[in-house]
Every structure is written in structure tokens, then in C-alpha cells.
């Protein structure tokens, strides 16, 4: 297993990469989004050099607010195009996966259409990503509006789509981790970790909300998943992020 962090999109991505490497993290979950981490704001050569010198890996991440399921087709196309624009950068940085976020529709529209529009957008991206050697992985939101069946319906749009589990989102969305892993474990490509109290996506340090972390890590390890974990702990003081990393490593080690 490898542990990483997401860059704060308000900061310089190269500075964030240096910090991650200097503090013993294995990869940067590189979110390409404003206000300060749009593609033209990132020095690709410098970031590539930092990764090569330190061994820091890159996981691809894109903005959570793109309108993949807008009822307006041109908006959906714009969302797809904006993610496709990141592929060259991610491929250059030797990423293998790029995340996208499923989104809701205005309430007037049928839920089935919302699921279909999400799926169609992500299927297009799976096709566009393939020549770059990248896989698209779909992250579920911190909401009870998407059931596990809904997530499966969206992923059924293209067999190349991977699943991106966010344990904090699952807690807010009342998804049972055992059921999620049973249904989607074989397609799981990446995991986000942060704590909350079950009401909103608070991005707390692990152990300060109401998630049973030793149980979560045990279930993940027992499922056979042994890949990348991003700590999405957004405390201003990053000591809490590093403490969370220590705890994840200890919980992981404690499981046979
Ligand atoms: Zn997440």
C-alpha cells in the first residue's frame, strides 16, 4: 500500500509535491483545478523533475464540480473536454489513473437520466484516456442521492471505468463498506480517506470523527486491495495529516 496527499489547489503544485516528498508520502494526488492548479499554472517540467528526483508518484485528480450530468448537452461536452485536456500532463507525469466525480442533476429531471448522463460522459472519457495509457476512475459523492446500485449503473456504462472509493463520502452517503467492496472490489483502483461525523464531508484527521478506522482498514485489506490511499485531511496544520498517515500504516500493519 502507498499513502499520498492531495495538493491544495490554492497553492503552487510543485511546492506541494516537494512538501509531500519531504514528509515521506509516496505520491501526490494531483488535482488539476483552480484557483492555482489549472494546467497552464503547473510547471510540468519542474514537477516531472521533482517526481524523478524523489520517487514521488502521481495519481490524477480533476475538479469535483464539473457538470458531467448537466441536462444541457453542451455543458456535459465541455466537462468531458476539460478533463481530456489534462491527459497529456498526467501521462507525462507517469500517472496511470485519473479520477472524475459523479454529480447530481436538478430535481426536475429523472434520476435515471442523471445516471445515464454521468455514465455517458465517463464512457467518453474512458475512450479518450485509453491512448494515453490512462484509466478513468469514478468517485461517488458525499450524498445519499446515489445508492450503491446507482454507482453500479454508472460504472456499467463502460467496462474500462474503475471505481474510486471515498470512505468519508461513503459514511455521509450511508453506504455499507462491506457491500461496496463485495460489488465493486474488483474494479477498485484508488481510495480516499478522511473522517467526518456522518453529516457532511468535513475532511477531518482520522480518528476525530465517527468512522471506525481499524475496521475500515481491515475490510479493505481483507478485500485484497493493496494500492494507493490518499489522505484528504484538510486541516490547516498538516501535522494532523502526517499523524493520520502514521495511523493508517499502523492499522494496516496490525492486520495479518
Ligand atoms: Zn475524495
Amino acid at each position: 500500500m502507498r499513502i499520498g496527499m492531495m495538493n491544495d489547489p490554492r497553492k503552487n503544485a510543485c511546492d506541494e509535491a516537494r512538501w509531500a516528498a519531504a514528509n515521506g508520502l509516496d505520491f501526490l494526488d494531483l488535482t488539476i483545478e483552480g484557483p492555482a492548479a489549472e494546467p497552464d499554472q503547473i510547471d510540468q517540467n519542474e514537477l516531472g523533475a521533482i517526481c524523478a528526483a524523489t520517487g514521488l508518484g502521481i495519481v490524477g485528480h480533476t475538479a469535483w464540480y464539473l457538470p458531467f450530468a448537466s441536462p444541457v448537452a453542451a455543458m456535459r461536452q465541455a466537462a468531458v473536454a476539460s478533463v481530456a485536456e489534462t491527459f497529456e500532463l498526467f501521462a507525462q507525469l507517469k500517472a496511470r489513473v485519473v479520477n472524475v466525480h459523479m454529480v447530481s442533476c436538478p430535481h426536475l429531471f429523472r434520476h435515471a437520466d442523471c445516471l445515464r448522463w454521468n455514465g455517458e460522459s465517463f464512457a467518453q472519457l474512458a475512450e479518450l484516456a485509453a491512448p494515453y495509457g490512462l484509466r478513468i476512475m469514478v468517485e461517488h459523492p458525499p450524498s445519499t442521492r446515489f445508492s450503491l446500485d446507482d454507482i453500479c449503473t454508472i460504472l456499467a456504462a463502460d467496462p474500462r471505468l474503475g471505481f474510486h472509493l471515498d470512505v468519508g463520502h461513503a459514511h455521509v452517503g450511508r453506504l455499507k463498506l462491506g457491500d461496496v467492496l463485495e460489488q465493486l472490489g474488483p474494479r477498485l483502483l484508488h481510495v480516499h480517506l478522511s473522517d467526518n461525523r456522518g453529516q457532511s464531508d468535513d475532511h477531518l484527521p482520522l480518528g476525530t470523527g465517527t468512522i471506525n478506522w481499524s475496521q475500515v482498514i481491515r475490510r479493505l485489506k481483507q478485500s485484497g486491495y493493496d494500492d494507493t490511499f490518499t489522505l484528504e485531511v484538510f486541516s490547516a496544520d498538516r501535522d494532523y495529516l502526517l499523524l493520520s498517515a502514521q495511523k493508517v500504516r499502523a492499522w494496516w500493519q496490525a492486520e495479518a
Side-chain angles (χ1 to χ4, degrees):
M1 59 97 80
R2 289 173 289 154
I3 299 183
M5 62 171 248
M6 197 182 94
N7 55 304
D8 181 336
R10 295 167 295 191
K11 296 181 178 172
N12 178 291
C14 291
D15 291 344
E16 292 285 86
R18 276 189 213 95
W19 193 91
N23 285 280
L25 295 169
D26 302 313
F27 66 90
L28 186 68
D29 196 331
L30 176 62
T31 193
I32 302 278
E33 60 180 289
E38 294 280 9
D40 59 358
Q41 293 171 309
I42 295 176
D43 186 329
Q44 297 182 26
N45 293 334
E46 188 183 356
L47 187 50
I50 293 165
C51 291
T54 62
L56 190 74
I58 295 287
V59 165
H61 193 283
T62 60
W64 56 270
Y65 43 76
L66 297 173
F68 294 115
S70 169
V72 181
M75 299 290 283
R76 300 198 296 277
Q77 283 310 313
V80 167
S82 77
V83 171
E85 279 173 16
T86 67
F87 292 159
E88 199 172 315
L89 170 63
F90 282 133
Q92 267 190 25
L93 294 170
K94 301 186 169 56
R96 305 296 305 274
V97 291
V98 177
N99 117 314
V100 290
H101 300 76
M102 58 181 73
V103 285
S104 303
C105 294
H107 282 277
L108 279 178
F109 292 85
R110 295 188 324 140
H111 191 54
D113 288 331
C114 175
L115 301 182
R116 181 168 55 82
W117 288 327
N118 272 290
E120 286 173 358
S121 295
F122 301 148
Q124 280 187 49
L125 283 168
E127 178 73 24
L128 294 167
Y132 293 89
L134 295 166
R135 276 188 75 186
I136 298 294
M137 54 181 184
V138 181
E139 183 174 0
H140 58 106
S143 163
T144 52
R145 289 184 72 181
F146 291 91
S147 66
L148 178 54
D149 281 352
D150 292 341
I151 297 170
C152 292
T153 298
I154 291 172
L155 286 172
D158 192 296
R160 291 170 291 191
L161 293 172
F163 176 55
H164 174 165
L165 170 68
D166 185 306
V167 175
H169 292 185
H171 193 51
V172 175
R174 308 278 184 270
L175 298 177
K176 291 200 171 71
L177 186 58
D179 296 345
V180 171
L181 291 172
E182 193 180 312
Q183 296 258 352
L184 293 171
R187 294 177 77 168
L188 181 59
L189 295 183
H190 183 56
V191 178
H192 278 174
L193 305 174
S194 69
D195 215 336
N196 63 59
R197 298 187 180 89
Q199 300 301 316
S200 56
D201 193 19
D202 302 318
H203 292 285
L204 300 172
L206 307 199
T208 63
T210 55
I211 296 175
N212 183 339
W213 285 103
S214 54
Q215 187 181 81
V216 164
I217 299 298
R218 180 180 314 125
R219 288 223 165 109
L220 280 161
K221 195 167 180 182
Q222 284 174 350
S223 80
Y225 180 79
D226 188 7
D227 209 333
T228 44
F229 293 86
T230 297
L231 286 163
E232 282 194 321
V233 172
F234 294 163
S235 313
D237 181 343
R238 282 190 166 161
D239 286 354
Y240 295 102
L241 186 152
L242 297 176
L243 183 59
S244 296
Q246 269 181 40
K247 290 197 166 291
V248 173
R249 289 199 178 97
W251 287 319
W252 187 268
Q253 293 295 329
E255 298 303 325

